Amino acid sequence: MSYRSKSWVWQYGKRQGDKAFCDLCDDNSNKVFCCAGGSTGSFGRHLKLIHNINRSSQNPSDDNCREDKECNTVDNLTQCSLSSSNNLNTECSSSSSEFREPQPRKRRRTYIDKNIDRNRICTSERTEEIHQALAKMIAMNQMPLSFCSSSGFKQFMSIVEPNYIICKEGAIKQRLKGLKSSVEYMIKKELKDASNVSCTTDCWSSIAQETYITVTAHFIDDQWCPKSYTLTTHKLDDRHTASNLSNQLEITFNKWDIGQKIMSVVTDNAKNVLNAVNLLDNITEKSDLTCAAHSLQLAVNNALKYDKIENLIQVCSKIVCHFKHSNLASQYLKDKQEQLGLPTESLIQSCKTRWNSIFMMLDRLYKNRCPISNVLADRSMTTAAMAHKFEVTEHQWTDVETLIKLLKPLQIMTTVFCGEKYCSSSMVRPLLNAVIQKHLKHDISDDEISEHFKTTVIRELSDRFKLLWCPSSVVTARQIASFLDPRFKDLEHEPVEAREEIRTRVKNLINEVAEISCDVQIESPVTKHHGALEFLFGDEVNSNTSDSDVQYQNYLAEPQLKFDFDALEWWKTRASKYPLIVELAKKYLGIPATSVSSERCFSTAGNIVTAKRSCLAPETVNMLVFLYQNKQLL
């Protein structure tokens, strides 16, 4: 009976069922090598690839033993030499006996490949973890989907994880969709808990001439933290009529289940968008809620439409254009700046569509007045004709300085409105009144430019923000928000005849809230008595605050806070003292001052839909913008 010896590979492992266990792999690596049937060939390839062990590196005794067996079974071949036959028989018999009676031995762990880290197995769990991290990186860094298949990324992963299988674009896109679904779930959960939601919206055209509409949601949560989320940035196929825009907004609100919670929509001053908001149902506040920053810039631009101002801006723009188009002049300007000890700054060109760009251009020019004059006066650098063309007289430099002083408070106010820190609509009217009273007030020493600029800006601001009060005026949401802001509750920024109207309106709103919540008994927690006198007199520390009139009068008696205090933190500590007013405060203080949040979405979209990526599908654009704008939830 012939005997079939076991393969050489099994001296390095053992087989159990359909799995092979490698004795050379250490405890930190994957010791289980799974293969179909635990075949010898698969385990041999494992030894060769991972441990650099192959058949040629083994002792040839096994092969000689197999040859000796063949000689003995086929007619006792006598061609083999006696000495070699005896030796081979001895080795074969010892090998056979060892196989029949395996001796217990220690598990061999002494052989460790120098490239063990490079040759480690990338498990499916590890691969999926890398896929998810790659999808998040693409979303958060506004990278193209093709990055996952780029040569640079492949080279990078060959060092970090050599056995990682590169994910294709379709697989990354599926994981991005999964991220979008998870973020949508978290946002819907927070919107469900919000009592009132305010939105901002705007429209934008991409480089591919495709129109998109974006909608962002704003609210204050139970912890009195302002929240802002981008809901959608989807393509518009229809004309930008008021009815079509209104339908798009309603579809978005219903998709996110906030149709009954929307109290206001802040937009720019475009007529079609304003009319679309007026067509919406269930919107409680529709008037005087345009973007404060956009309205402010319209007022400033109208004030700058004055012949002397326009001529001065045109001359300054030509100077900037000269240094922008001449590398030699630009370098010479930097040299002059270093010689005069000024910071090496480039000049700024104005742009009609960019807010405050005229102020930044004039301010940078005036700071670099001396180096600019030196460059223009140098005939080796500037010809006489060009110097005459760019000549700025001393009187014009004085006018530039005047314009800078007039534009600076308006630029700072725009920055406050558009800042990353939350700015409520309650700050709009107080800030406008402060700028008019302290920075735009007429003076006897005002020149022609100052007089015209101040008069025009005050008139424009008064008309656009309805700062003047008349008998037919209606209390707006911004006025209510200012009264509910403890920093401006005394309404010092409002006309005297308007203050009582605002307070009466707020009192009526408090009564409405009390009627709605009359079925729910509002109980104020009673604090334990801390001393003997409190116990003997029997007075509870907290009085009953369920009465709306009591809450209203107590709020009026509160001292007004300084303008740099946190209004939301103040309300958070007094939620139990004013349970009825606090609902109104959360509702009106949650209205944003501007629609800049939607404008920022288009800046993000512009970084995604570039000239090289102009053929992106609208669904992909919406997904990438949504993930980037809500990246704090990733």
Side-chain angles (χ1 to χ4, degrees):
M1 178 178 179
S2 62
Y3 175 75
R4 185 178 179 183
S5 65
K6 209 169 186 179
S7 175
W8 64 271
V9 300
W10 299 112
Q11 61 180 310
Y12 299 105
K14 56 186 177 181
R15 178 172 53 198
Q16 293 182 1
D18 62 344
K19 295 182 179 180
F21 294 82
C22 180
D23 293 338
L24 297 181
C25 296
D26 56 16
D27 294 333
N28 295 327
S29 60
N30 188 9
K31 292 179 58 179
V32 181
F33 182 76
C34 300
C35 56
S39 66
T40 301
S42 299
F43 188 58
R45 285 190 292 272
H46 168 77
L47 293 174
K48 182 177 180 180
L49 294 175
I50 303 302
H51 304 293
N52 200 20
I53 300 176
N54 51 32
R55 187 174 183 177
S56 61
S57 62
Q58 304 303 308
N59 194 330
S61 62
D62 293 339
D63 296 335
N64 294 335
C65 179
R66 188 176 298 107
E67 293 176 0
D68 182 65
K69 286 182 179 181
E70 294 177 357
C71 292
N72 291 334
T73 55
V74 183
D75 297 332
N76 296 321
L77 299 176
T78 59
Q79 288 80 2
C80 299
S81 64
L82 181 61
S83 60
S84 62
S85 177
N86 292 336
N87 292 335
L88 294 175
N89 285 332
T90 304
E91 293 176 2
C92 183
S93 60
S94 62
S95 176
S96 301
S97 62
E98 288 178 1
F99 177 77
R100 293 191 186 94
E101 296 179 3
Q103 297 296 327
R105 56 184 175 81
K106 285 186 177 182
R107 182 171 292 172
R108 298 176 61 182
R109 305 181 185 276
T110 57
Y111 183 84
I112 300 178
D113 191 359
K114 293 181 180 179
N115 296 325
I116 187 67
D117 292 335
R118 187 174 184 83
N119 297 327
R120 66 178 180 270
I121 297 175
C122 186
T123 62
S124 58
E125 294 80 5
R126 174 65 174 168
T127 301
E128 183 60 28
E129 183 181 359
I130 296 176
H131 288 348
Q132 293 292 339
L134 177 59
K136 290 183 180 179
M137 182 180 67
I138 289 176
M140 298 177 70
N141 293 345
Q142 305 178 32
M143 304 174 70
L145 299 181
S146 59
F147 173 78
C148 61
S149 58
S150 62
S151 58
F153 178 70
K154 291 179 180 178
Q155 184 180 8
F156 175 78
M157 291 307 300
S158 66
I159 303 299
V160 177
E161 194 68 58
N163 293 322
Y164 167 72
I165 300 177
I166 299 299
C167 186
K168 295 184 179 180
E169 295 181 23
I172 284 293
K173 194 171 184 180
Q174 292 299 323
R175 284 162 178 82
L176 287 171
K177 290 181 179 179
L179 289 176
K180 183 174 183 288
S181 299
S182 62
V183 173
E184 284 180 347
Y185 174 78
M186 289 186 283
I187 294 177
K188 283 185 177 180
K189 187 177 180 181
E190 293 197 36
L191 290 175
K192 184 179 180 180
D193 297 335
S195 57
N196 296 280
V197 179
S198 295
C199 290
T200 62
T201 185
D202 203 352
C203 297
W204 170 76
S205 295
S206 69
I207 194 174
Q209 296 301 315
E210 293 178 334
T211 305
Y212 290 85
I213 182 174
T214 188
V215 179
T216 59
H218 306 261
F219 61 94
I220 299 175
D221 63 6
D222 295 335
Q223 300 300 320
W224 284 91
C225 294
K227 295 296 183 70
S228 176
Y229 296 117
T230 299
L231 302 183
T232 183
T233 305
H234 63 268
K235 182 182 177 182
L236 278 177
D237 295 323
D238 300 327
R239 295 178 59 191
H240 299 178
T241 61
S243 59
N244 290 336
L245 294 176
S246 179
N247 291 334
Q248 292 294 328
L249 292 175
E250 288 183 355
I251 292 173
T252 302
F253 297 156
N254 294 332
K255 176 184 176 181
W256 290 88
D257 299 328
I258 57 176
Q260 303 300 322
K261 296 183 178 182
I262 300 295
M263 69 159 299
S264 63
V265 179
V266 180
T267 67
D268 58 14
N269 291 268
K271 292 295 183 181
N272 57 341
V273 182
L274 295 176
N275 294 333
V277 174
N278 292 328
L279 292 176
L280 292 173
D281 299 329
N282 302 321
I283 303 295
T284 56
E285 299 293 343
K286 297 182 180 181
S287 61
D288 193 30
L289 281 178
T290 56
C291 176
H294 187 249
S295 301
L296 177 60
Q297 292 304 311
L298 292 178
V300 173
N301 292 337
N302 287 337
L304 293 176
K305 292 179 180 179
Y306 187 59
D307 291 340
K308 290 187 177 181
I309 298 178
E310 287 182 341
N311 294 334
L312 181 62
I313 293 175
Q314 187 176 5
V315 172
C316 294
S317 181
K318 288 181 180 180
I319 295 175
V320 176
C321 186
H322 168 68
F323 284 95
K324 289 290 184 181
H325 288 80
S326 175
N327 295 331
L328 190 60
S330 178
Q331 183 60 42
Y332 200 45
L333 176 63
K334 292 181 180 179
D335 296 339
K336 290 297 182 180
Q337 289 173 341
E338 293 178 355
Q339 292 176 6
L340 296 173
L342 298 175
T344 55
E345 299 175 332
S346 300
L347 301 182
I348 300 175
Q349 184 61 277
S350 62
C351 178
K352 292 182 179 180
T353 59
R354 181 167 295 177
W355 296 345
N356 301 316
S357 62
I358 292 179
F359 165 77
M360 290 185 287
M361 179 187 69
L362 297 177
D363 185 55
R364 185 65 57 85
L365 276 174
Y366 192 78
K367 289 180 180 178
N368 293 275
R369 173 184 175 181
C370 290
I372 290 173
S373 300
N374 292 340
V375 173
L376 296 179
D378 191 346
R379 288 296 168 265
S380 63
M381 182 62 55
T382 309
T383 63
M386 294 181 63
H388 179 72
K389 179 182 178 181
F390 302 135
E391 182 182 3
V392 180
T393 64
E394 187 67 28
H395 180 69
Q396 287 178 320
W397 281 118
T398 304
D399 292 339
V400 169
E401 183 182 8
T402 301
L403 279 177
I404 292 174
K405 292 180 180 179
L406 293 172
L407 291 172
K408 186 174 183 178
L410 300 174
Q411 182 266 339
I412 295 175
M413 183 165 56
T414 305
T415 304
V416 172
F417 286 157
C418 304
E420 291 291 339
K421 189 177 180 181
Y422 179 73
C423 180
S424 171
S425 60
S426 63
M427 299 178 63
V428 175
R429 297 177 69 88
L431 283 178
L432 290 172
N433 180 76
V435 169
I436 292 175
Q437 295 297 327
K438 299 183 180 299
H439 301 279
L440 298 178
K441 196 171 183 179
H442 291 282
D443 191 85
I444 300 176
S445 60
D446 288 341
D447 57 9
E448 183 180 355
I449 290 180
S450 299
E451 186 70 24
H452 173 270
F453 185 88
K454 291 180 179 180
T455 302
T456 306
V457 169
I458 293 175
R459 183 182 68 251
E460 289 285 333
L461 293 179
S462 300
D463 294 341
R464 294 182 181 277
F465 293 94
K466 299 180 176 61
L467 298 181
L468 302 179
W469 183 265
C470 62
S472 60
S473 300
V474 179
V475 177
T476 63
R478 284 175 177 159
Q479 291 173 318
I480 297 174
S482 297
F483 177 73
L484 295 173
D485 192 323
R487 298 169 296 180
F488 315 113
K489 57 182 291 294
D490 292 344
L491 301 176
E492 297 173 353
H493 58 279
E494 295 288 346
V496 177
E497 57 271 16
R499 298 175 186 177
E500 192 60 34
E501 294 291 335
I502 298 172
R503 296 189 182 100
T504 303
R505 174 60 178 159
V506 173
K507 186 176 181 180
N508 293 334
L509 291 174
I510 296 174
N511 294 331
E512 292 178 5
V513 174
E515 292 176 1
I516 296 174
S517 59
C518 62
D519 296 334
V520 181
Q521 184 178 1
I522 303 176
E523 296 181 356
S524 177
V526 179
T527 307
K528 294 182 179 180
H529 298 290
H530 299 286
L533 293 179
E534 291 183 7
F535 175 77
L536 293 175
F537 280 103
D539 291 336
E540 296 178 351
V541 175
N542 291 338
S543 60
N544 184 18
T545 59
S546 60
D547 185 74
S548 60
D549 292 334
V550 174
Q551 292 186 41
Y552 176 74
Q553 295 298 330
N554 290 341
Y555 178 70
L556 289 179
E558 290 278 357
Q560 180 171 289
L561 301 181
K562 196 177 179 181
F563 58 85
D564 56 350
F565 275 68
D566 189 350
L568 299 184
E569 185 66 24
W570 188 90
W571 276 112
K572 181 180 179 180
T573 58
R574 287 162 177 78
S576 59
K577 185 177 181 180
Y578 306 108
L580 297 177
I581 306 179
V582 77
E583 294 298 325
L584 285 178
K586 187 179 294 185
K587 179 178 180 180
Y588 283 91
L589 295 181
I591 302 176
T594 67
S595 60
V596 172
S597 56
S598 295
E599 294 281 352
R600 291 195 178 102
C601 289
F602 298 143
S603 298
T604 301
N607 294 332
I608 293 174
V609 187
T610 60
K612 293 184 178 181
R613 304 170 65 191
S614 59
C615 295
L616 280 175
E619 296 78 11
T620 304
V621 175
N622 185 17
M623 176 180 64
L624 294 177
V625 173
F626 176 83
L627 290 175
Y628 179 80
Q629 291 296 120
N630 302 309
K631 59 184 177 181
Q632 68 274 17
L633 299 178
L634 291 177

